[in-house]
Amino acid sequence: MLPEPVSCPDWLIAQEAEKRMKSIFQLAEELDIKKEELIPYGSYIAKIDYRKLYSRIKNNPNGKYIIVTAITPTPFGEGKSTTTIGLTQGLGKRGKKVSCAIRQPSAGPLMNIKGSAAGGGLSQCIPRTEFSLGFTGDINAVMNAHNLAMVALTSRMLHEANYSDEILKKRGLRRLDIDPKRVQMGWVIDFCVQALRKIVIGLGGKKDGITMESRFDIATSSELMAILSLVKDLKELKKRISSIVVAYSKTGNPITTEDLEVSGAMSALMLPAFNPNLIQTIEGQPVFVHAAPFANIAIGQSSIIADMVGLKLNEYHVTECGFGADIGFEKFWNIKCRTSGLKPDVAVLVATLRALKYHGADKDSPKIIPGNPLPKEYIEKNMQWLERGMKNLFHHIKIIKKSGLSIVVCINKFQSDTHEELDFVRKFCEEMGIPVAISEHWQKGGQGALELADFVIDACKNNSNFNFLYENSLPHISRIELIAREIYGADSVEFSPLALEKLQSINSKKEFSDFAICIAKTHLSLSDNPLLRGVPEGWQLFIRDILVFYGAKLIVPVAGEISLMPGTASTPNFRTIDVDLQTGKVTGI
Amino acid sequence: MLPEPVSCPDWLIAQEAEKRMKSIFQLAEELDIKKEELIPYGSYIAKIDYRKLYSRIKNNPNGKYIIVTAITPTPFGEGKSTTTIGLTQGLGKRGKKVSCAIRQPSAGPLMNIKGSAAGGGLSQCIPRTEFSLGFTGDINAVMNAHNLAMVALTSRMLHEANYSDEILKKRGLRRLDIDPKRVQMGWVIDFCVQALRKIVIGLGGKKDGITMESRFDIATSSELMAILSLVKDLKELKKRISSIVVAYSKTGNPITTEDLEVSGAMSALMLPAFNPNLIQTIEGQPVFVHAAPFANIAIGQSSIIADMVGLKLNEYHVTECGFGADIGFEKFWNIKCRTSGLKPDVAVLVATLRALKYHGADKDSPKIIPGNPLPKEYIEKNMQWLERGMKNLFHHIKIIKKSGLSIVVCINKFQSDTHEELDFVRKFCEEMGIPVAISEHWQKGGQGALELADFVIDACKNNSNFNFLYENSLPHISRIELIAREIYGADSVEFSPLALEKLQSINSKKEFSDFAICIAKTHLSLSDNPLLRGVPEGWQLFIRDILVFYGAKLIVPVAGEISLMPGTASTPNFRTIDVDLQTGKVTGI
């Protein structure tokens, strides 16, 4: 028996469960993955040789495809990863062949506030620490490949400044004439580092680089991570990497990684990351891990490749998208599914009573400060706040309905939740004809998720009427306005002059027509202001800049004050992490 | 049969050899490593569970301990890794149970000029590409753990600036009052990036960090890498990490990673890197890989842990230290061996005729420019240049003799080398009573290294009179002067006022007495000026700064113009690296 979650931290439960986990070879065998298709990393983690495996299974029928999303979360999160794993365990308990796909945690939030994304309580994936801390190195591969492009760019700029055309020619280089004021890319690092948001590089002497402004973003927001989420084969990976625009020349020509002759080396660095990872839930179901979080500032989806494999090998495959349905699900729906051609069957919408109460709370109610305990007001019963907060849930239901998918609402139950509150939510949803599961997977594992699993199995029997919010024939500016109104609930969109100028240039060029819109916006509100709770009304979405990811084929409108580099808080998680000298293991993750 | 090295690039030879390499399980079994002591990374690479393995074998007798060093290298290198592997293969051919320890290549030189450090021709380790490109992630672990200290530092400085004592106290923080002008650490990245040598961070608004000067060094020069090279157990790893001084307070108190409450998390990130890696030579001998290069700007040694394991499991264990004997061997001798307590038996001194000719060349002879082909003058026969260049070899012999070790000179033979030249070198050494092997391991593998292997086996029969250059009772300033005179051949040492001030403060404190001297100096000359060839005379070593690594217990005098961050050249290697879409493999490394 595993310890009771109420009296035991997640990492200790994981350590107990790890004492009897399956070897990776057994896990793979049960999943019908052959030994030669497996690249073990120790005894409990493996990468899948995707090319080998997929070419063998590509004609299998697809299983049912379930997407897990959430209402607008508090800074504590709604437990989407926990629910993804809990549902997988619940389906397993019902005797179904099932897998899930989650994203590799970034060390930024891990070391800062949010902790691991391995799930919690009795719904976790293991080995937890190895998964949470570096894992098989995919984020490092993205970081290094990304930064290599910047090495190529900055050294090229320096050599072009210091050498004549003749010398450059001798060394096989043509002058690219890069404009230091129009460098698009920054550097990346997999931590939350406010001090690297805005920097000046290339100080010093003639050999120390060109002096210019630069920046570090968090590694998971790299265009390379978006590419990793979206590609289906190696050829596409290489092609997309070579199309990344790093800067512009003084005459306005885009400078790609291919122009810098660095795209091959970047692809080489990304090669191991191309293969998805395999671990298990604490109840022994397979968990694919591929790509990374941050649906607010990036695409933030588990990869298409992981889903393709999961669907071919299982009756049910559960996948995850980041934050609320306004950002994570919208991107899953209109970007990831459009790119993959896969059709999901059911969406699970996760909510917690604490978040519903937060969204319906009085104006002077306490703030939720990451790192501090949750104020008791959101734990205690409060029917008025809950009732008002249902508007947020209702809005997210409306968002998902536009996609044509069947919905199952999942209340991720806490011990403090009262019957009266839970009954209220249940009734609210049932009146709309939406099944709602009060799920105790955190406390009880798969056994606590049986109601959720049953509702999902039922919902999978419906015919999916899945369709996109817009067609790619719609101009980009109209797509942004559509998402703002239909998804976020804004009255209208205001573009900064810079953003508008860029959008007009994009609209005029045919090459961009199949580029997807991937808005960067806070996840803490439906609006672009993280302080506005519930369903904000009478507001305008402000787009301050437009990024163009030529390789990922994304147009990224940047909304409000959102930054691609989070900061580390004054009460960071890294304070609690340590190594136990007796066991040689990491504690506190 | 493997392809002929003269007509085939290294990576293609490696690909051929990889078709019939042993599985990592077979390799481990032959080495007497048990399955539960092995952490496989795929089928041909593993980490060793050092704690498990060493506790079982610690009472085995040690094998013979051979160190490979070189004369002052040209920018092309003398082939030390190639010779280390070639000698291991040669000893294998003689039926000896043998392993070697090499260092994980840094992506900096790999992507820049030097290429892989996997050896070359028919003396290589495999799988070559995986070894060269990221491998099992040790350098990434060092980079991330190092940068996490900087995240903790910069965010703490910001929070202390923005919050009152009362708020800090509420969050469990005391005011450290860090002086932005006395931050000791920089950030690290595993590339050569001149543009990040000198930067300003923390620009922007009140939430974007404290504005201050900062820098990026290459990851392999991190204090954490030195610690990884020098520790013998986990307890020491953790203790040394927690002693790293990141900055000083405004009142002059050192601020450690422990003060920043980040040392536990840094240890957690370093934990996988603590275990050494295992691969094989193309002839099937075990190769341990641990720690990283750069004996010029760092300690640059294969780890003590790797050597401890290799010595316990084999009759012969060959290890490697960076660059010429003046820097790599001196650090092996007086730092690594003093720390490990291990006594080496024989030193192999590697030289190439091209380097000897380079050191004896006329003043107006062509420069060697990395990335360009070697000028033909150094390939063609030139007895006069060779004769004059022997002074450099003689100087390195004198250095090693001071340690009391037996010496075997190894000429790493090229096809263009003439009999007359080779005979001259042989005679020169034999007149001093030093065995010299003309070794063809590059062209012929272990078979070509039999003479070298036999001389080494013979030399191992001598009683080793190994002793240190100085005792730790000698003041640091005198140790620096001793190394300058006795090892580098300088007349004297000039200290900058800054360096002198720091040294006087160090000399006055007892806590520093067992800190080792680890001089950062160019590897391209015995002097601190990379342009001076041969054996420079009548010169003064200039020490411009003193770094203190409290965790690694190193005092690092910085000589001449050396920078801890190399630059990327205009003809970088990354241009030739790519991914083959047919095979899914990396090409060109």
Side-chain angles (χ1 to χ4, degrees):
Chain A
M1 277 289 285
L2 292 171
E4 288 278 324
V6 280
S7 56
C8 186
D10 289 339
W11 65 271
L12 275 178
I13 296 172
Q15 269 193 10
E16 270 307 302
E18 285 163 20
K19 288 180 186 162
R20 36 187 184 278
M21 66 185 151
K22 297 172 192 174
S23 84
I24 194 68
F25 302 102
Q26 187 190 337
L27 186 73
E29 201 186 319
E30 288 174 10
L31 194 53
D32 183 33
I33 294 174
K34 294 188 192 303
K35 218 179 160 184
E36 62 271 22
E37 294 158 350
L38 202 71
I39 308 162
Y41 279 62
S43 302
Y44 306 101
I45 297 170
K47 279 193 165 281
I48 306 302
D49 188 324
Y50 170 71
R51 280 157 51 101
K52 268 192 200 153
L53 172 64
Y54 198 76
S55 69
R56 180 172 64 81
I57 62 173
K58 63 173 187 284
N59 295 322
N60 291 5
N62 278 344
K64 294 293 182 184
Y65 192 19
I66 300 140
I67 174 77
V68 176
T69 181
I71 64 166
T72 304
T74 72
F76 286 96
E78 296 308 281
K80 255 191 338 291
S81 299
T82 307
T83 302
T84 299
I85 294 166
L87 171 59
T88 304
Q89 293 179 163
L91 288 164
K93 277 263 184 285
R94 285 294 188 227
K96 303 296 182 186
K97 196 173 183 212
V98 55
S99 64
C100 64
I102 61 175
R103 299 155 298 161
Q104 183 191 345
S106 156
L110 177 77
M111 292 296 176
N112 186 13
I113 290 296
K114 207 177 170 192
S116 170
L122 294 192
S123 290
Q124 298 191 42
C125 63
I126 47 177
R128 181 179 172 93
T129 296
E130 288 78 356
F131 162 78
S132 308
L133 207 65
F135 204 36
T136 58
D138 293 353
I139 296 181
N140 287 329
V142 164
M143 173 167 66
N144 290 335
H146 181 117
N147 287 336
L148 184 60
M150 291 300 289
V151 171
L153 177 83
T154 54
S155 61
R156 181 68 166 258
M157 288 171 78
L158 181 72
H159 297 310
E160 289 195 12
N162 288 348
Y163 298 124
S164 66
D165 284 357
E166 199 189 357
I167 293 181
L168 291 176
K169 204 176 160 189
K170 254 192 206 164
R171 297 182 187 173
L173 302 168
R174 66 188 168 92
R175 190 173 289 279
L176 297 174
D177 213 17
I178 297 151
D179 187 347
K181 292 282 188 188
R182 294 194 65 193
V183 173
Q184 299 296 297
M185 245 179 148
W187 312 78
V188 294
I189 188 171
D190 191 32
F191 290 117
C192 301
V193 211
Q194 51 270 71
L196 294 180
R197 274 182 195 143
K198 197 170 178 184
I199 64 175
V200 171
I201 65 171
L203 298 165
K206 199 176 142 97
K207 290 184 169 179
D208 300 324
I210 301 291
T211 308
M212 62 183 184
E213 252 195 57
S214 194
R215 66 176 196 278
F216 274 77
D217 299 330
I218 191 157
T220 45
S221 75
S222 165
E223 180 169 357
L224 285 168
M225 188 58 87
I227 290 175
L228 186 65
S229 314
L230 292 175
V231 295
K232 282 170 285 186
D233 59 42
L234 194 56
K235 192 176 159 192
E236 204 188 339
L237 179 78
K238 201 173 145 178
K239 184 160 177 257
R240 283 177 177 247
I241 289 175
S242 67
S243 309
I244 293 174
V245 170
V246 182
Y248 290 87
S249 75
K250 286 177 185 155
T251 53
N253 292 324
I255 309 290
T256 64
T257 56
E258 198 167 12
D259 294 324
L260 294 168
E261 296 175 90
V262 73
S263 60
M266 290 170 70
S267 302
L269 282 166
M270 287 288 289
L271 196 58
F274 173 70
N275 286 321
N277 307 284
L278 179 64
I279 52 173
Q280 60 194 284
T281 71
I282 58 175
E283 296 182 9
Q285 287 82 21
V287 178
F288 294 99
V289 183
H290 210 204
F294 286 107
N296 50 349
I297 56 177
I299 186 155
Q301 309 286 327
S302 56
S303 80
I304 287 177
I305 281 179
D307 286 352
M308 283 167 72
V309 170
L311 287 167
K312 290 293 177 198
L313 292 175
N314 296 282
E315 295 171 83
Y316 293 84
H317 177 71
V318 186
T319 198
E320 183 193 25
C321 55
F323 300 123
D326 54 329
I327 48 177
F329 177 76
E330 191 278 313
K331 289 169 186 178
F332 170 79
W333 167 23
N334 293 301
I335 304 176
K336 185 177 166 187
C337 288
R338 199 190 303 261
T339 308
S340 70
L342 296 170
K343 283 200 172 185
D345 294 280
V346 172
V348 173
L349 179 61
V350 183
T352 58
L353 295 193
R354 69 185 188 191
L356 291 170
K357 284 183 264 187
Y358 171 81
H359 284 298
D362 297 332
K363 278 218 166 132
D364 57 352
S365 63
K367 280 188 197 167
I368 295 185
I369 296 166
N372 289 12
L374 186 72
K376 65 177 186 334
E377 286 83 344
Y378 303 113
I379 300 171
E380 289 165 354
K381 185 172 122 178
N382 188 324
M383 293 307 293
Q384 195 193 8
W385 289 10
L386 178 64
E387 202 176 324
R388 287 203 303 242
M390 294 306 285
K391 276 184 73 174
N392 186 275
L393 177 69
F394 182 62
H395 187 91
H396 285 282
I397 288 173
K398 281 197 300 180
I399 291 174
I400 300 172
K401 278 202 166 168
K402 289 181 211 280
S403 75
L405 283 186
S406 300
I407 306 174
V408 175
V409 168
C410 169
I411 301 299
N412 179 17
K413 186 177 176 298
F414 283 69
Q415 287 224 308
S416 51
D417 296 349
T418 65
H419 280 291
E420 193 182 344
E421 289 170 310
L422 293 168
D423 284 344
F424 177 81
V425 176
R426 191 188 285 276
K427 214 174 147 205
F428 178 95
C429 294
E430 282 174 356
E431 275 173 12
M432 284 190 293
I434 292 177
V436 53
I438 311 296
S439 197
E440 297 185 280
H441 48 270
W442 180 81
Q443 202 191 334
K444 298 179 181 168
Q447 193 66 39
L450 289 179
E451 186 186 23
L452 174 62
D454 290 341
F455 284 148
V456 166
I457 292 169
D458 274 353
C460 281
K461 292 173 188 157
N462 301 338
N463 279 333
S464 167
N465 294 313
F466 185 67
N467 51 58
F468 301 121
L469 180 66
Y470 54 83
E471 293 308 316
N472 274 346
S473 53
L474 197 68
H476 290 289
I477 197 160
S478 313
R479 293 189 217 171
I480 298 170
E481 286 166 342
L482 189 71
I483 294 169
R485 280 197 319 268
E486 297 281 313
I487 305 299
Y488 304 161
D491 285 351
S492 59
V493 184
E494 187 196 345
F495 295 94
S496 76
L498 173 72
L500 200 61
E501 189 195 320
K502 286 190 185 178
L503 264 181
Q504 278 160 350
S505 155
I506 287 163
N507 271 338
S508 71
K509 285 181 194 147
K510 220 188 141 207
E511 58 174 319
F512 294 117
S513 67
D514 67 335
F515 279 42
I517 290 291
C518 181
I519 300 179
K521 180 185 80 69
T522 179
H523 58 289
L524 295 171
S525 171
L526 284 164
S527 77
D528 56 9
N529 176 354
L531 299 177
L532 301 183
R533 309 182 187 184
V535 181
E537 280 174 21
W539 64 281
Q540 209 176 25
L541 182 75
F542 178 62
I543 301 294
R544 74 174 151 89
D545 197 1
I546 304 279
L547 311 178
V548 183
F549 288 175
Y550 282 78
K553 292 192 160 194
L554 297 176
I555 308 283
V556 180
V558 183
E561 294 301 310
I562 191 150
S563 163
L564 299 192
M565 174 51 95
T568 287
S570 54
T571 52
N573 262 351
F574 61 68
R575 298 202 289 185
T576 65
I577 298 171
D578 207 346
V579 173
D580 181 328
L581 291 179
Q582 290 307 312
T583 62
K585 291 193 176 198
V586 173
T587 57
I589 285 182
Chain B
M1 278 289 284
L2 292 172
E4 288 277 323
V6 279
S7 56
C8 186
D10 289 339
W11 64 271
L12 275 177
I13 296 173
Q15 270 195 9
E16 271 306 303
E18 285 163 19
K19 289 180 186 163
R20 36 184 185 279
M21 65 184 151
K22 296 173 191 173
S23 83
I24 194 67
F25 302 101
Q26 186 190 339
L27 186 73
E29 200 186 321
E30 290 174 11
L31 195 52
D32 184 32
I33 294 175
K34 295 189 191 302
K35 218 178 161 186
E36 61 271 21
E37 294 158 351
L38 201 70
I39 308 162
Y41 279 62
S43 303
Y44 305 101
I45 297 170
K47 279 193 165 282
I48 306 302
D49 187 325
Y50 170 70
R51 280 157 52 101
K52 268 193 201 152
L53 171 64
Y54 198 76
S55 69
R56 179 173 65 80
I57 62 173
K58 63 175 187 284
N59 294 322
N60 290 6
N62 279 344
K64 295 293 183 184
Y65 192 19
I66 301 140
I67 174 77
V68 177
T69 181
I71 64 165
T72 304
T74 72
F76 286 96
E78 296 309 281
K80 255 191 337 292
S81 299
T82 307
T83 302
T84 300
I85 294 166
L87 170 59
T88 304
Q89 294 177 164
L91 288 164
K93 277 263 183 285
R94 285 293 188 226
K96 303 297 182 187
K97 196 172 183 212
V98 56
S99 64
C100 65
I102 61 175
R103 299 155 298 161
Q104 183 191 345
S106 157
L110 178 75
M111 291 296 174
N112 186 14
I113 290 297
K114 207 176 170 193
S116 169
L122 295 191
S123 291
Q124 298 191 41
C125 62
I126 48 176
R128 181 180 173 93
T129 296
E130 289 79 356
F131 162 77
S132 308
L133 208 64
F135 203 35
T136 58
D138 293 353
I139 296 181
N140 288 329
V142 165
M143 174 167 64
N144 290 334
H146 181 117
N147 287 336
L148 183 60
M150 291 301 289
V151 172
L153 177 83
T154 54
S155 61
R156 181 68 168 256
M157 289 171 78
L158 181 72
H159 297 310
E160 289 195 12
N162 288 348
Y163 297 125
S164 67
D165 284 357
E166 200 188 356
I167 293 182
L168 291 177
K169 204 177 161 187
K170 255 191 205 164
R171 299 184 185 171
L173 302 169
R174 67 188 168 91
R175 191 173 288 281
L176 297 175
D177 213 18
I178 297 151
D179 186 348
K181 292 281 190 190
R182 294 194 66 193
V183 173
Q184 299 298 297
M185 244 179 149
W187 312 79
V188 294
I189 188 171
D190 190 32
F191 290 117
C192 302
V193 211
Q194 52 270 70
L196 294 180
R197 272 180 196 146
K198 197 170 178 183
I199 63 176
V200 171
I201 64 170
L203 297 166
K206 201 178 142 100
K207 290 184 168 178
D208 301 323
I210 302 292
T211 308
M212 61 183 185
E213 251 195 58
S214 193
R215 68 176 195 279
F216 274 77
D217 298 330
I218 193 158
T220 44
S221 75
S222 165
E223 179 169 357
L224 286 168
M225 188 59 87
I227 290 174
L228 185 65
S229 313
L230 292 175
V231 295
K232 281 169 285 187
D233 58 43
L234 195 56
K235 190 175 160 193
E236 205 188 339
L237 179 79
K238 200 173 145 178
K239 183 160 178 257
R240 283 177 176 247
I241 288 176
S242 67
S243 310
I244 293 174
V245 170
V246 182
Y248 290 88
S249 74
K250 286 177 184 152
T251 54
N253 292 325
I255 309 289
T256 65
T257 57
E258 198 166 11
D259 294 324
L260 294 168
E261 296 175 272
V262 72
S263 61
M266 289 170 71
S267 301
L269 282 166
M270 286 288 289
L271 196 57
F274 174 70
N275 286 321
N277 307 283
L278 178 64
I279 52 174
Q280 62 194 283
T281 72
I282 58 175
E283 296 181 8
Q285 288 82 20
V287 178
F288 294 100
V289 183
H290 210 205
F294 285 108
N296 49 349
I297 56 178
I299 187 156
Q301 308 287 326
S302 55
S303 80
I304 286 177
I305 282 179
D307 285 352
M308 283 167 72
V309 170
L311 287 167
K312 289 294 176 199
L313 292 175
N314 295 282
E315 294 172 84
Y316 293 84
H317 176 72
V318 186
T319 198
E320 184 193 27
C321 54
F323 300 123
D326 54 328
I327 47 177
F329 177 77
E330 191 278 313
K331 290 169 186 177
F332 169 80
W333 167 23
N334 293 300
I335 305 176
K336 184 177 165 186
C337 288
R338 198 191 304 260
T339 309
S340 70
L342 296 170
K343 284 199 173 186
D345 295 279
V346 172
V348 173
L349 178 61
V350 183
T352 58
L353 295 193
R354 68 185 187 190
L356 290 169
K357 284 183 264 187
Y358 170 82
H359 285 298
D362 298 331
K363 281 221 163 129
D364 56 353
S365 63
K367 280 188 198 169
I368 294 185
I369 296 166
N372 288 12
L374 185 72
K376 65 177 186 334
E377 286 84 343
Y378 302 113
I379 300 170
E380 289 164 355
K381 185 173 123 179
N382 188 324
M383 293 307 293
Q384 195 194 7
W385 289 9
L386 178 65
E387 202 176 323
R388 287 203 303 243
M390 294 305 286
K391 275 184 74 175
N392 187 275
L393 176 69
F394 182 63
H395 187 90
H396 286 281
I397 289 173
K398 280 196 302 180
I399 291 174
I400 300 171
K401 278 200 167 170
K402 289 180 210 280
S403 74
L405 282 186
S406 300
I407 305 173
V408 175
V409 168
C410 169
I411 300 299
N412 180 17
K413 187 179 175 297
F414 283 69
Q415 287 225 307
S416 51
D417 297 350
T418 65
H419 280 292
E420 193 182 344
E421 289 169 309
L422 293 168
D423 284 344
F424 176 82
V425 176
R426 190 187 287 274
K427 214 174 146 201
F428 178 95
C429 295
E430 283 174 355
E431 276 173 11
M432 285 192 293
I434 292 176
V436 54
I438 311 297
S439 199
E440 297 184 281
H441 48 270
W442 180 81
Q443 201 190 336
K444 299 179 181 169
Q447 193 65 39
L450 290 179
E451 186 185 22
L452 175 62
D454 290 340
F455 285 149
V456 166
I457 293 168
D458 274 353
C460 281
K461 292 172 188 160
N462 300 337
N463 280 332
S464 167
N465 294 312
F466 185 68
N467 51 57
F468 301 121
L469 180 66
Y470 54 83
E471 293 309 314
N472 274 346
S473 53
L474 197 68
H476 290 289
I477 198 160
S478 313
R479 294 189 218 171
I480 299 170
E481 286 167 342
L482 189 69
I483 294 169
R485 280 196 320 269
E486 297 282 312
I487 305 298
Y488 305 161
D491 285 351
S492 60
V493 185
E494 186 197 345
F495 295 94
S496 76
L498 173 73
L500 202 61
E501 190 195 319
K502 287 190 185 178
L503 264 180
Q504 278 159 350
S505 156
I506 287 164
N507 271 338
S508 71
K509 286 180 194 148
K510 220 188 143 208
E511 57 175 317
F512 294 118
S513 68
D514 66 335
F515 279 41
I517 290 291
C518 182
I519 300 178
K521 179 183 80 69
T522 180
H523 57 290
L524 294 170
S525 172
L526 284 165
S527 78
D528 57 9
N529 177 354
L531 299 177
L532 300 183
R533 310 181 187 185
V535 180
E537 280 174 20
W539 63 280
Q540 209 176 26
L541 182 74
F542 178 63
I543 301 293
R544 72 174 151 89
D545 197 2
I546 304 280
L547 310 178
V548 183
F549 289 176
Y550 282 78
K553 294 192 159 195
L554 296 176
I555 307 285
V556 181
V558 183
E561 295 301 309
I562 191 149
S563 163
L564 299 192
M565 173 53 93
T568 287
S570 54
T571 52
N573 262 351
F574 63 66
R575 299 203 287 185
T576 64
I577 298 172
D578 208 345
V579 172
D580 181 328
L581 292 179
Q582 290 306 312
T583 61
K585 292 194 173 194
V586 173
T587 57
I589 286 182

